[in-house]
Amino acid sequence: MSALDPARSKDASEFEVTNRMVFAIAVPMTLAYLTTPLLGIVDTAVVGQFGDAALIGGLAIGAILFDVVFIMFNFLRMGTTGLVAQAVGRGDATEQQAVFWRAVLIAIVGGLLLLPLAPVIRDVGLWFMAPGDAVAEATRTYVTIRFLAAPFTLVNYAVLGLLLGQARAVAALIVQSLINGINIVLSIALGLWLEWNVAGVAWATVIGESIVAIGALVWLWRGFDRRHAPSRARILDRPSFLALIVLNRDIMIRSFALVASFALFTRIGAQFGAVTLAANAILMNFFFIAGYYLDGFAVAAEQLVGRAVGGRHPKPFWRAVRLTAFWGFVLAGFTTLVVLVAGNWFIEIMTTAQEVRAEARIFLVWAAFTAIAGVLAFQMDGVYIGATWSVDMRNMMLLSLAVFIAAGYGLTPVFGNHGLWFALNLFLGLRGLTLLAILPSRARRVFG
């Protein structure tokens, strides 16, 4: 039996969830995810060295536009993780491979279709964000180049989905670290040393994503156990494809609403001027750091909950929920403390613009507490993704987004940027609490 395909008899049996099991998944993925906000920090720092707030704002808006589009395809990671984990719970090694290849096919087709749409998406996004001319020009440069990575980015989603669904966190760590590591090195080389600024940062992403996607596909294909290889007919099975798409339709809506909230955050902040926009962009990196810390335990919840649901084992299900929530709160408290103590130092590193530094310090405390506000949001997402309860995720996300819009537009005329940051923290907290409230009734439908 290949190491790439977990044994049937072992995975189909009931299992005990332990702290060690949770950390075996969460720690490598925390390290992997931390390279992503590190990449954001490096990218921001690279363009920040040119002392132009418009470049920082353009990078921030460009990243949001890219995320708005690609988050709709995040089901290639989330859905693959949940379905593969449930196949692991059932002991079905063949279906694990079949789910992966279906996701890869969707990734390639979807990525190629996005390429000719890039200019339209860019222009619509700029119309919506309505930044100044200098910010808009930087955004156009970044988005136009970065969209060339579309097919490779989506393939990497599918790769990570398979690895996480099989609880192969160390392998996922290697893949994610390679993507971001190559990106970071090239971002510094092209953006700073060659002085390509925003264009160099964008080209670094294209190169990093493509190298890892091609290498990962070759590595996985060579490592699959041929005894459990799915037939072409099974991979291309129409009902299975439709089931994957229907299941993840709600994940797409949920994910789009999530990024829409960040886009609205950026848009509202942009109305306060380029300096506030740049300050918020820098502070959001602290939230992303917290988010990727918390995502490590969310991924542990995805795999363990998915495996428990696939095998219909309620005891490990509830044990996974409790342990991932507990450690999530511990980690969030630590992150908040670090940001409060060392936040000013990080701000100094990320930009040389004195007015941006001063503005960021004013709102630092709000950014610090996004970690605690978002614990349950991340952890419950992991639970619901693993169980593939996508309808509930969609509904609670849309409810939380509505509250965020009302609070964001209602509070900022009175409290300015403070009101905007309060609305963001409210949005994060409400997401987690609503999902937690309906969890017992949803679990009873599955386990009885």
Side-chain angles (χ1 to χ4, degrees), residues 93-95 97-99 101-102 105 225-238 240-241:
T94 301
E95 183 61 14
Q97 294 187 40
V99 169
W101 290 120
R102 291 178 200 128
L105 288 175
D225 189 339
R226 298 298 188 270
R227 292 175 295 174
H228 300 300
S231 65
R232 181 180 301 177
R234 180 164 180 174
I235 295 173
L236 300 177
D237 179 59
R238 181 182 175 85
S240 297
F241 260 110

Side-chain angles (χ1 to χ4, degrees), residues 168-201:
R168 296 165 57 202
V170 173
L173 165 63
I174 294 172
V175 170
Q176 189 68 56
S177 298
L178 282 173
I179 294 173
N180 293 328
I182 294 172
N183 200 335
I184 287 171
V185 171
L186 291 178
S187 181
I188 296 172
L190 301 179
L192 191 58
W193 294 347
L194 296 184
E195 298 186 352
W196 291 4
N197 56 67
V198 171
V201 169

Side-chain angles (χ1 to χ4, degrees), residues 126-402:
L126 287 173
W127 168 81
F128 177 77
M129 292 292 187
D133 291 341
V135 174
E137 183 59 31
T139 301
R140 288 190 188 94
T141 299
Y142 180 79
V143 173
T144 301
I145 296 171
R146 186 171 175 182
F147 256 91
L148 297 175
F152 306 107
T153 299
L154 298 184
V155 167
N156 285 326
Y157 286 178
V159 169
L160 289 172
L162 172 71
L163 297 176
L164 296 176
Q166 293 180 330
R168 296 165 57 202
V170 173
L173 165 63
I174 294 172
V175 170
Q176 189 68 56
S177 298
L178 282 173
I179 294 173
N180 293 328
I182 294 172
N183 200 335
I184 287 171
V185 171
L186 291 178
S187 181
I188 296 172
L190 301 179
L192 191 58
W193 294 347
L194 296 184
E195 298 186 352
W196 291 4
N197 56 67
V198 171
V201 169
W203 277 115
T205 300
V206 174
I207 297 170
E209 294 278 3
S210 59
I211 290 175
V212 175
I214 294 171
L217 283 177
V218 173
W219 171 63
L220 287 171
W221 178 77
R222 294 182 63 181
F224 278 136
D225 189 339
R226 298 298 188 270
R227 292 175 295 174
H228 300 300
S231 65
R232 181 180 301 177
R234 180 164 180 174
I235 295 173
L236 300 177
D237 179 59
R238 181 182 175 85
S240 297
F241 260 110
L242 291 177
L244 177 62
I245 293 172
V246 170
L247 171 66
N248 289 290
R249 173 197 60 201
D250 297 320
I251 296 180
M252 292 173 65
I253 296 172
R254 167 262 178 205
S255 299
F256 181 82
L258 177 61
V259 173
S261 68
F262 296 135
L264 284 169
F265 179 88
T266 303
R267 186 180 191 276
I268 296 173
Q271 307 313 305
F272 298 122
V275 172
T276 299
L277 174 63
N280 284 350
I282 288 173
L283 292 175
M284 282 299 290
N285 282 304
F286 295 125
F287 167 73
F288 294 140
I289 289 174
Y292 288 114
Y293 264 113
L294 296 173
D295 249 338
F297 289 96
V299 169
E302 289 178 31
Q303 203 282 331
L304 297 171
V305 165
R307 183 176 170 186
V309 169
R312 295 297 187 269
H313 303 309
K315 184 176 178 180
F317 171 88
W318 286 112
R319 178 72 169 166
V321 170
R322 288 191 295 269
L323 287 182
T324 53
F326 171 77
W327 289 114
F329 274 106
V330 170
L331 189 58
F334 171 77
T335 305
T336 296
L337 181 62
V338 169
V339 174
L340 288 174
V341 172
N344 286 330
W345 180 71
F346 284 114
I347 292 171
E348 296 286 328
I349 292 177
M350 285 188 282
T351 180
T352 59
Q354 292 298 328
E355 69 276 20
V356 176
R357 287 176 172 177
E359 188 77 359
R361 293 190 193 102
I362 296 173
F363 306 103
L364 177 62
V365 66
W366 289 109
F369 280 97
T370 54
I372 294 176
V375 171
L376 286 178
F378 283 92
Q379 190 256 352
M380 285 290 111
D381 274 357
V383 171
Y384 281 74
I385 290 167
T388 60
W389 296 336
S390 56
V391 173
D392 299 309
M393 291 181 64
R394 177 201 66 193
N395 292 343
M396 297 305 102
M397 175 61 75
L398 292 176
L399 172 63
S400 301
L401 177 60

